[in-house]
């Protein structure tokens, strides 16, 4: 009898059961199968039923995990085109030279990684021979994100192809001589080969997603049709632990990025040991990607396993594979057949019987060698299925053995990531395994030789023919000769020269107004890429919504709630704005894709990414290094900048240090403009340098970081006189003197030079007036638009002295002869202005906002940090008192007067 108090199935579903009898029949059938054939058979039938439902478009929750077997069965694999034997020989040469390169370099102590490429060789070789499109065909080719630790294998293939020679390989990780190879994919170091830096783990997968998305953006906006480009990201299973690796999976599936394929090399090992010692990383990743809406293809087992699966009439083998943890699979790789018989097969009577039908050699072949990622046919089948799948991105989970073909000393050993060389005997064993025609006599003085079949050999001809058919060498970075972008109309910049009159304008708003004019420019307006992380209204950018539109591949499928307003929320398939939601990392990945479009696609785009300054460099500085490495160009804009301008927000919003972090990045030109006309001048010069005609000696492969403020203040007119624009760009110019400010100092009055940057210039100007009117001190005010650029110029001058070149740093030239000491003030830590102290000939002192931020009014915060106008006055008097130019009692009097 049924328990009347038991919860009935229909009670667990809010939807009423319109046919309870039919439901009961299905449930009874399932119970019967479980009783007669066992729960595993019942589970099998349920899986197949759900798969059929999904295939027929019936809306059901998707399976998050499938059995621990290949997604594509052997019978369904397409034939492998080309010449498999030839490709095997090419791969053997590449394996050899990758290992030889790292081993030969080990004598210099420069390191290198051998085991990663050994596991992934077929993952790359199959792609290079059959899938990866080069840049010499129509379009832009494919974009390849190469796993950083596999770089020796890519160099080895370029050597075979004739793009590198032995001298290059011998200088792996030794670049200072000018003929070296960088350790990992570094475009800035090897700009003709590498496109994408990937070895800062987690950034590669994140960038690949946004690159695929940016490709769609370019096509949708009519800039360039790159719909034939496919993005391939080669990743490690350990790398997927980085939060950035999976941060944008939902975006990729939500926007249907079927132009994207992740290839995760599941060798089950990370740097120190197993990725998931007590679990199964493949199953975990499958569930994660399926749950995010990706198409998942598992390529786990090689052809040797087919016989075992055919013998598995009870499902015992599949169950055992699913339950064995990864660390134990790794152990099987290193143990003999007797151990595997006992530990793997001995757990189930059905498997014991199966093992009796298998020879020791067969068991070792399966458990030591046969993995889906090591067989070209398996990899080809997975790649072909991936590029043909439509509607969602694909992830390929390819199981491999880390250190494959390198011998028993490497394969699946926990320490193999740190193992940098093979012995001569190990190389000879590897040679025999790979069947390479390398003689013992080729090992001269114990040095392993490089191997090459000859420039006109069948292997090299085949490799080059395959690449020619696919559009040329890969990977390859190309900067196509294109005409510089025409300069925007001068009117857009000149409008800021007259100032704002009586109107208070924040520099954030001034920048946005400038952008509004620039995106309307007939020549270059369409090339601007506005990027914002869900803070457009904070920065006053909502007026751009209706005119530019927010990019969405679906356009706008709803009626916006603010449809009747002038500045309504507008999404469009050809929208120009990239509004990424609350993700600084995603926004930076957008910026990187846009800022390198000039090389990736031969189309110069001008991205600007505007963000809370505190949440830019502090959160995503690693991506700023990636941007610099990738030779990106564009404008990063840290809005609501400074430690004291953002009222009431407090410690985690108050930025007093982003210029410190930015100063560490050689590609970042960091500016802290005080006035609207300075913003306009810097942006104009940045467009010229990055997209127009760079001056001799100027590197166009830089990006600009501007800090802008949310404090509405009067914007003065641009001072007249020669050299103002030059001073703004170089980092320092005199804004006024006591006399030009109309303060009429008395003859022989004590004088001081006040340097201010950003919003601090306004406190300095107030202090200038107070010093004159209350203390009889004449102060000249300088605007320091870039402490960092001043320092870099001085460092270059110092370096020139070592070469016998005489050059005075610009900061010393600018301040030369200026009377009195120098007091520098900023809304950042004192070390920001202190960058230039050693090159200033006058006595130096500085004020800044050191320490944690706090919630308060602007006035209260500035008094707390000692950077308000009154504090500047006291500091100036103290500096003059030390020189004997004002009475010491004036300092005490001023402190008491201002309540300091």
């Amino acid at each position: 009898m049924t328990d009347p108090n038991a919860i009935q199935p229909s009670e667990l579903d809010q939807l009423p059961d319109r046919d309870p009898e039919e439901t009961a029949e299905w449930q009874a059938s399932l119970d019967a199968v479980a009783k007669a054939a066992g729960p595993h058979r019942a589970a099998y039938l349920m899986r197949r039923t759900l798969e059929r439902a999904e295939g027929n478009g019936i809306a059901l929750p998707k399976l998050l995990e499938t059995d621990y077997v290949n997604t594509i069965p052997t019978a369904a694999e397409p034939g492998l085109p080309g010449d498999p034997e030839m490709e095997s020989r090419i791969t053997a040469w590449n394996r050899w030279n990758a290992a030889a390169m790292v081993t030969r370099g080990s004598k210099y102590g420069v390191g290198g990684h051998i085991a990663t490429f050994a596991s992934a060789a077929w993952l790359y070789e199959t792609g290079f021979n059959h899938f990866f499109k080069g840049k010499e065909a129509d379009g832009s080719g494919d974009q390849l994100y190469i796993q950083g630790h596999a770089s020796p294998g890519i160099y080895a293939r370029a050597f075979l192809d004739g793009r590198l020679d032995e001298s290059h390989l011998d200088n792996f990780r030794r670049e200072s001589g000018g003929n070296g190879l960088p350790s990992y994919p570094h475009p800035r170091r090897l700009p003709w080969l590498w496109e994408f830096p990937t070895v800062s783990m987690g950034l590669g997968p994140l960038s690949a997603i946004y690159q695929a998305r940016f490709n769609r953006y370019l096509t949708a906006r009519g800039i360039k049709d790159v719909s034939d480009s496919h993005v391939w990201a080669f990743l490690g299973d350990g790398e997927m632990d980085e939060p950035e690796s999976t941060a944008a999976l939902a975006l990729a599936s939500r926007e249907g990025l079927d132009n994207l394929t992740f290839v995760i090399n599941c060798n089950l090992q990370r740097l120190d040991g197993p990725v998931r010692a007590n679990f199964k990383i493949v199953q975990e990743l499958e569930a994660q990607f399926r749950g995010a809406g990706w198409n998942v293809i598992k390529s786990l087992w090689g052809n040797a396993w087919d016989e075992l699966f055919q013998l598995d009439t009870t499902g015992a083998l599949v169950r055992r594979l699913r339950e064995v943890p990864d660390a134990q699979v790794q152990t099987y790789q290193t143990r003999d057949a007797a151990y595997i018989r006992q530990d793997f097969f001995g757990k189930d009577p059905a498997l014991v019987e199966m093992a009796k039908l298998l020879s020791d050699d067969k068991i070792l072949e399966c458990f030591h060698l046969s993995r889906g990622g090591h067989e070209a046919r398996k990899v080809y089948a997975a790649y072909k299925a991936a590029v043909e799948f439509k509607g969602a991105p694909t992830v390929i989970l390819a199981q491999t053995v880390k250190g494959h073909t390198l011998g028993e000393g490497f394969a699946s050993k926990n320490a193999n990531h740190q193992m940098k060389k093979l012995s001569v005997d190990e190389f000879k064993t590897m040679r025999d395994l790979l069947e390479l025609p390398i003689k013992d006599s080729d090992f001269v003085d114990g040095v392993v030789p490089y191997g090459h079949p000859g420039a006109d050999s069948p292997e090299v001809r085949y490799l080059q023919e395959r690449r020619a058919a696919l559009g040329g060498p890969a990977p390859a970075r190309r900067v196509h000769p294109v005409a510089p972008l025409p300069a925007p109309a001068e009117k857009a910049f000149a409008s800021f020269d007259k100032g704002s009159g009586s109107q208070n304008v924040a520099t954030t708003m001034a920048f946005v107004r400038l952008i509004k004019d620039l995106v309307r420019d007939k020549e270059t307006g369409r090339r601007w890429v506005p990027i914002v992380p869900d803070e457009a209204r904070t920065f006053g950018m909502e007026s751009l919504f209706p005119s530019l539109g927010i990019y969405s591949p679906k356009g706008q499928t709803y009626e916006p709630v603010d449809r009747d307003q002038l500045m309504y929320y507008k999404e469009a398939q050809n929208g120009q704005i990239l509004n990424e939601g609350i993700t600084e990392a995603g926004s930076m990945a957008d910026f990187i894709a846009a800022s390198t479009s000039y090389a990736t696609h031969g189309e110069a785009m001008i991205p600007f990414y505007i963000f809370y300054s505190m949440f830019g460099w502090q959160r995503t500085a690693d991506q700023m290094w990636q941007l610099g490495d990738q030779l990106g160009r564009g404008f990063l804009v840290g809005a609501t900048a400074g430690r004291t301008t953002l009222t009431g927000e407090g410690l985690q919003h108050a930025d007093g240090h982003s210029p410190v972090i930015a100063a560490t990045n050689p590609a970042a030109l960091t500016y802290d403009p005080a006035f609207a006309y300075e913003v306009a001048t810097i942006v104009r010069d940045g467009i010229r340098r990055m997209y127009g005609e760079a001056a001799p000696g100027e590197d166009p492969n830089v990006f600009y970081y501007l800090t802008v403020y949310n404090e509405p203040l009067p914007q003065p007119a641009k001072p007249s006189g020669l050299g103002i624009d030059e001073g703004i760009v170089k980092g320092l110019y005199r804004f006024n003197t006591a006399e030009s400010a109309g303060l009429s100092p008395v003859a022989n009055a004590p004088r001081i030079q006040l340097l201010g940057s950003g919003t601090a210039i306004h406190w300095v100007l107030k202090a200038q007036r107070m010093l004159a009117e209350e203390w009889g001190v004449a102060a000249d005010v300088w605007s320091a638009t870039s402490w960092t650029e001043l320092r870099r110029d001085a460092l270059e001058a110092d370096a020139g002295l070592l070469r016998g070149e005489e050059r005075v740093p610009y900061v010393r030239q600018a301040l030369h002869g200026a009377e009195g000491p120098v007091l520098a003030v900023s809304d950042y830590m004192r070390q920001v202005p202190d960058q230039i102290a050693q090159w200033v000939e006058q006595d130096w002192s500085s004020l800044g906002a050191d320490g944690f931020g706090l919630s308060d009014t602007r006035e209260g915060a500035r008094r707390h940090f000692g950077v308000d106008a009154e504090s500047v006055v006291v500091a100036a008097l103290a500096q003059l008192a030390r020189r004997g130019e004002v009475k010491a009692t004036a300092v005490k009097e001023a402190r008491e007067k201002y309540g300091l």
Side-chain angles (χ1 to χ4, degrees), residues 332-346:
Y332 294 149
Q333 178 70 33
T334 64
R335 302 301 289 270
D336 59 19
Y339 177 88
I340 298 171
R341 285 182 186 276
Q342 178 182 351
D343 191 85
F344 181 84
F345 292 98

Side-chain angles (χ1 to χ4, degrees), residues 554-854:
K554 288 184 175 294
Q556 195 155 35
T557 62
Y558 59 91
E559 188 175 23
V561 68
D562 55 359
R563 61 194 178 280
D564 297 327
Q565 297 179 16
L566 180 63
M567 294 183 286
Y568 68 96
Y569 196 81
K570 177 187 175 183
E571 296 186 79
Q573 289 180 325
N574 64 346
Q576 192 165 349
I577 300 170
L578 292 173
N579 190 321
E580 291 306 348
I582 305 174
T583 167
E584 285 82 7
S587 299
M588 268 306 303
D590 259 338
F591 186 88
I592 292 170
S595 70
T596 54
S597 179
Y598 73 93
T600 307
H601 296 299
E603 293 287 346
M605 304 299 287
I606 313 174
F608 77 88
Y609 165 35
I610 187 167
F611 50 87
Y612 258 88
S613 65
M614 184 70 162
F615 304 143
W617 286 88
Q618 176 166 297
R619 286 195 177 182
T620 57
D622 195 14
Q623 288 177 286
M624 280 39 165
W625 276 95
Q626 180 190 15
L627 168 64
D629 191 347
Q630 203 167 319
L631 290 79
R633 306 171 183 174
F635 296 94
L636 297 177
V637 183
T640 59
R643 183 147 279 165
T644 70
T645 60
L646 190 58
T647 56
E649 292 285 359
L651 186 151
Q652 287 187 286
H653 283 66
D655 174 24
H657 54 277
S658 66
V660 178
I661 308 174
T664 66
N665 191 311
L669 276 59
T670 303
Y671 287 90
D672 186 24
F675 306 123
Y677 67 79
E678 293 178 352
V679 172
T681 301
I682 293 164
V683 170
R684 178 178 56 195
D685 192 71
I687 294 172
R688 175 200 61 79
R689 176 170 177 171
M690 295 185 290
Y691 302 97
E693 297 284 358
E698 278 187 329
D699 182 3
N701 298 315
V702 295
F703 60 93
Y704 283 64
Y705 174 52
L706 279 70
T707 55
V708 292
Y709 298 83
N710 69 327
E711 186 173 10
L713 291 164
Q715 295 296 326
K718 188 176 187 177
S720 58
L722 297 175
I724 298 297
D725 284 1
E726 179 188 25
I728 292 172
V729 172
K730 288 190 171 183
L732 182 69
Y733 69 97
R734 185 158 54 191
F735 176 72
N736 70 16
T737 64
E739 290 78 7
S740 65
L743 299 176
S744 303
V746 299
N748 300 317
R751 187 174 289 269
I752 189 169
Q753 307 300 316
L754 301 179
L755 278 58
S757 68
T759 196
I761 199 81
H762 298 280
W763 326 327
V764 168
L765 288 168
K766 182 178 178 182
Q768 178 192 38
R769 183 164 297 279
M770 294 168 66
L771 282 166
E773 296 176 351
E774 301 176 27
W775 305 99
V777 172
D780 300 335
V781 173
W782 300 70
S783 180
T785 53
S786 180
W787 309 101
T788 302
E789 287 306 295
L790 292 173
R791 175 179 175 81
R792 287 178 179 167
D793 172 79
L795 289 173
E796 289 175 8
D798 285 357
L801 289 176
L802 298 177
R803 300 189 296 267
E805 302 169 4
E806 292 288 341
R807 184 170 74 80
V808 179
Y810 174 78
V811 63
R812 183 166 292 173
Q813 295 178 43
L815 290 171
H816 179 66
E819 184 181 347
V822 167
L823 174 61
V825 188
S826 89
D827 203 17
Y828 294 94
M829 303 168 67
R830 286 178 62 179
Q831 69 191 78
V832 175
D834 284 349
Q835 292 180 86
I836 66 170
Q838 72 183 82
W839 293 282
V840 174
E841 62 187 30
Q842 293 86 352
D843 291 342
W844 174 272
S845 184
S846 64
L847 294 176
D850 286 76
F852 286 116
L854 77 166

